[in-house]
Structure formats: structure tokens, C-alpha cells
Amino acid sequence: METNNTNTAKNGKKNIVNTTVVRGFVATEPKVCNFSETSVIRFALAVRNRITNKATKEVTTQSSLITVEKWAANTNLSSFEAIRKGILVEVKGMLKPNEWTGNDGIHRNRIIIGARSVKEIARPASQLETPAPKGEAAVA
């Protein structure tokens, strides 16, 4: 994951740019909410980190779920169609605070990724087209 890069502004001062690129599997079936002029798609992205113990050389993995949301004008929702549970995607966007008050009255917060783009990298074999025997149509 790459995040919070710096660049130099015209005035010579360093700016911190909040950008991130994450690859992972879409872990939940995406949910789309439509509004009058825009829509948002939200899903959980499963990511995994490998950690090696330097002393023992033992490798362990740690998995996390990150909430991703992508907004689009209702005239341009084609980018939502390819996002399906199980596919491997690359998400480019920014880290974004998300705050709310639960039904129990407790204030909650988390960091989500506000996606600029979600690019499919690979699909599981169960979602790929299977070749049909001669004389039959392929199944998608």
C-alpha cells in the first residue's frame, strides 16, 4: 500500500498528498445506493499482509477488511458493473474519515478508502467463461 506521498507546491513548500493504492479481493457483494444525481457503491476489500519473524523465520499472515466507496454520476455507472464479490481488484483513491452515531447513541469512526478508480485484475475460475462443447453456446 502506498499512501501520503509528498510533492512540492509552486511556493516551494512540501504538500502531503493523501493517495493510496491497494490490491485485494472484493469480500462482500457490493451495495449500490442511488440518489437523484449520483450513486455510490460500497464493498469490503480483503487484504493480506505477510509478516516474517526475523529470529525464527516463521511467516504469518494477517488479513483485514477495508471498506471502499466509489461515487459516480448517474449518467456514468458502467464502472460499477464489473465489481463483483470474489474478484481481485486494484483500488486507487484516498484515505477518508467516516464518522457516525450508532442506534445505541455511541459515536463511531473508521477510515475508509474513497476510490477514484477500481480496476479488475483477475476473476476466480468460477466466474470465467467456460468453453462449450462443439455446437453449443459458451456459458458466461
Side-chain angles (χ1 to χ4, degrees):
M1 185 166 91
E2 153 191 332
T3 188
N4 291 336
N5 299 316
T6 59
N7 64 14
T8 305
K10 290 180 183 179
N11 62 7
K13 293 184 180 180
K14 295 273 184 187
N15 289 327
I16 295 176
V17 179
N18 178 0
T19 61
T20 189
V21 178
V22 181
R23 288 184 177 186
F25 288 93
V26 177
T28 58
E29 201 57 53
K31 294 180 181 165
V32 177
C33 295
N34 298 304
F35 302 99
S36 59
E37 295 181 17
T38 59
S39 293
V40 62
I41 187 168
R42 290 185 180 99
F43 59 92
L45 186 70
V47 296
R48 184 174 63 182
N49 295 317
R50 291 181 184 205
I51 302 164
T52 303
N53 182 318
K54 290 182 182 180
T56 65
K57 305 294 184 204
E58 179 184 2
V59 177
T60 57
T61 59
Q62 180 182 35
S63 297
S64 302
L65 293 176
I66 302 171
T67 299
V68 176
E69 71 175 25
K70 183 175 186 323
W71 290 82
N74 286 340
T75 57
N76 188 19
L77 297 180
S78 60
S79 62
F80 289 3
E81 294 172 10
I83 303 171
R84 296 284 174 254
K85 181 179 178 179
I87 66 170
L88 178 63
V89 295
E90 179 179 86
V91 177
K92 293 182 181 180
M94 65 180 204
L95 301 177
K96 183 174 153 184
N98 181 247
E99 298 182 22
W100 71 98
T101 301
N103 292 336
D104 55 7
I106 296 175
H107 180 79
R108 292 184 169 82
N109 60 63
R110 64 181 172 186
I111 301 295
I112 65 171
I113 297 178
R116 285 189 318 276
S117 69
V118 178
K119 176 183 165 187
E120 180 181 338
I121 297 171
R123 289 179 184 249
S126 63
Q127 293 183 13
L128 295 175
E129 289 186 20
T130 55
K134 285 189 172 187
E136 294 183 25
V139 178

